Amino acid sequence: GHVIQSVDVKSIYEVPIKYNEEKLDKKILSIFGLKEKNKANLKIWKDIIFKINTKRKKLSIAIVGKYTGLGDSYLSVTKALMHSAISADRKLNIIWIEAGMLEDATLAEDPSSHSDAWAKLHSVDGILVPGGFGERGFEGKILTAKYARENKVPFLGICLGMQAAVIEYARNVLGNKSAHSTEMVPECADPAVIFMPEGSTTHMGGTMRLGARRTFFQTQDCKAAKLYNSPPFIDERHRHRYEVNPDMVDKLEAAGCVFVGKDETNRRMEILELESHPFFLATQYHPEYKSRPGRPSPPFMGLILAASGQLDRYITTEAIEMRINAPGGFIQSPLKALKRLNNTM
């Protein structure tokens, strides 16, 4: 009597509901001789399915990467965007752009692909530059950061995406035209990004800074801290070897490229924000690794909210307090507090 159907469903988020209908949870408990203490609470999954099946406003986000033909390469990033879009009541439309197609070299070799890529970038509501390794397409990522900065387009850079944003700022705002990363140009005369090994014998990965590390907010008066509900610090997951050159930080910050999150030594830059931009955020860590349905990653939530014109209300003191004090915190519904706030005004 323990046959369970595995029926096809439109969305992976329907799977827990279908298995519950088949009484899979009760059967597993009975096999182990355990009593059912609480009835299964599947409200979060039902809410998600309802939102997926309900007509929502469309929102287009560009992912500018190296392997855009391979969606699975960025699966955790696309899922993190989806978790935030569902919570923000938006229908997500991902526009894939191969970073190399934006570069001047492509303009000379394949002008139509170059113009198509730029037309896509100009069409979107928000831009995400994900992590990665290696030189291919890196100049295209730098050009993407420049476009988002100059045109006030909501932008999220992750890991290599943050490094591209820093190099772009060093080149075009500070005027250090030779600024680069020693990952791509080892003999770079003016490195904005350098090799910074972990130097820990207790962590796996050799020279790589890998796994959960703590980031301390340098100010609470920044969008990043407010998206995380204003804690003094956060723990996020890392996977990289190169970082922002600490010797360039003072110049960058004086010019408006502010590192609102740093590690405990103040030598490792973790979160970047541009002061004069509606939403330009970049993280050295990988926030997508901790995103979950019903509990979207705060930087991704920020990008989606900024791209859909909902960010300002979300990061008011009242909305943050409502999220902190809501039953289950903001795990259950990031926008619940925002909606309650709208209803009270």
Side-chain angles (χ1 to χ4, degrees):
H2 294 310
V3 177
I4 303 292
Q5 284 191 87
S6 289
V7 295
D8 289 342
V9 287
K10 284 183 182 175
S11 163
I12 193 171
Y13 303 124
E14 289 182 53
V15 171
I17 297 166
K18 290 298 178 188
Y19 277 147
N20 176 251
E21 288 172 0
E22 293 277 315
K23 298 187 170 53
L24 174 63
D25 43 357
K26 288 186 171 68
K27 288 172 182 176
I28 290 172
L29 288 172
S30 71
I31 287 169
F32 288 101
L34 299 170
K35 288 181 180 167
E36 186 182 2
K37 286 186 180 175
N38 301 305
K39 197 169 184 291
N41 182 0
L42 296 173
K43 184 178 184 305
I44 181 175
W45 304 108
K46 288 175 180 172
D47 285 350
I48 288 170
I49 295 305
F50 175 76
K51 284 188 176 183
I52 287 172
N53 293 334
T54 305
K55 192 167 182 178
R56 293 165 293 155
K57 288 183 186 172
K58 286 184 180 172
L59 183 70
S60 59
I61 302 290
I63 296 181
V64 181
K66 187 161 65 166
Y67 308 110
T68 54
L70 302 167
D72 286 357
S73 302
Y74 299 114
L75 193 61
S76 50
V77 168
T78 57
K79 291 294 182 187
L81 283 172
M82 193 183 295
H83 299 156
S84 290
I86 290 168
S87 290
D89 291 331
R90 290 296 181 272
K91 186 174 181 63
L92 177 67
N93 180 26
I94 292 175
I95 307 293
W96 294 98
I97 301 174
E98 193 171 328
M101 294 297 154
L102 299 165
E103 296 172 1
D104 292 346
T106 305
L107 177 59
E109 296 164 13
D110 187 352
S112 66
S113 292
H114 181 267
S115 65
D116 286 350
W118 276 104
K120 281 183 184 177
L121 195 65
H122 292 151
S123 74
V124 296
D125 302 305
I127 297 166
L128 189 149
V129 177
F133 295 89
E135 193 169 1
R136 187 176 138 206
F138 191 53
E139 288 297 327
K141 292 180 179 183
I142 292 169
L143 288 167
T144 300
K146 181 175 189 282
Y147 167 75
R149 177 178 63 79
E150 291 181 340
N151 293 280
K152 304 283 194 269
V153 180
F155 175 91
L156 176 61
I158 297 170
C159 202
L160 192 67
M162 168 161 154
Q163 294 168 13
V166 169
I167 290 166
E168 189 280 317
Y169 212 87
R171 287 182 186 176
N172 299 315
V173 180
L174 295 182
N176 299 354
K177 292 301 175 188
S178 61
H180 218 301
S181 166
T182 57
E183 180 182 4
M184 323 300 174
V185 183
E187 304 304 315
C188 176
D190 201 5
V193 175
I194 60 170
F195 182 55
M196 288 181 68
E198 178 76 271
S200 167
T201 54
T202 57
H203 289 102
M204 290 176 66
T207 56
M208 186 174 278
R209 187 163 159 84
L210 193 64
R213 298 288 183 279
R214 187 152 285 183
T215 291
F216 293 87
F217 287 109
Q218 306 301 298
T219 172
Q220 289 296 322
D221 189 22
C222 64
K223 295 183 182 78
K226 291 171 184 176
L227 286 165
Y228 280 94
N229 291 352
S230 302
F233 59 81
I234 52 170
D235 293 313
E236 289 277 16
R237 303 191 70 81
H238 294 66
R239 190 173 182 270
H240 62 91
R241 291 188 174 89
Y242 290 80
E243 296 192 39
V244 177
N245 182 356
D247 297 339
M248 198 181 270
V249 167
D250 287 349
K251 284 182 188 172
L252 286 163
E253 293 203 313
C257 177
V258 183
F259 297 97
V260 298
K262 301 179 183 179
D263 81 333
E264 71 281 359
T265 69
N266 281 343
R267 296 280 295 166
R268 296 182 187 271
M269 303 303 114
E270 294 282 7
I271 308 173
L272 171 167
E273 265 186 42
L274 298 188
E275 287 179 330
S276 58
H277 195 287
F279 188 82
F280 193 108
L281 185 72
T283 66
Q284 183 56 63
Y285 55 79
H286 286 266
E288 69 272 22
Y289 292 161
K290 288 177 72 173
S291 182
R292 299 289 181 271
R295 187 173 186 169
S297 163
F300 282 85
M301 196 67 189
L303 176 65
I304 294 292
L305 290 170
S308 59
Q310 302 182 83
L311 179 66
D312 290 347
R313 299 298 301 280
Y314 187 78
I315 55 177
T316 59
T317 307
E318 301 93 325
I320 293 166
E321 283 176 3
M322 282 184 174
R323 285 200 295 281
I324 291 169
N325 297 320
F330 80 74
I331 297 169
Q332 298 306 319
S333 174
L335 279 189
K336 192 182 288 179
L338 187 64
K339 286 175 178 167
R340 281 170 54 192
L341 200 65
N342 287 337
N343 292 336
T344 57
M345 294 187 75

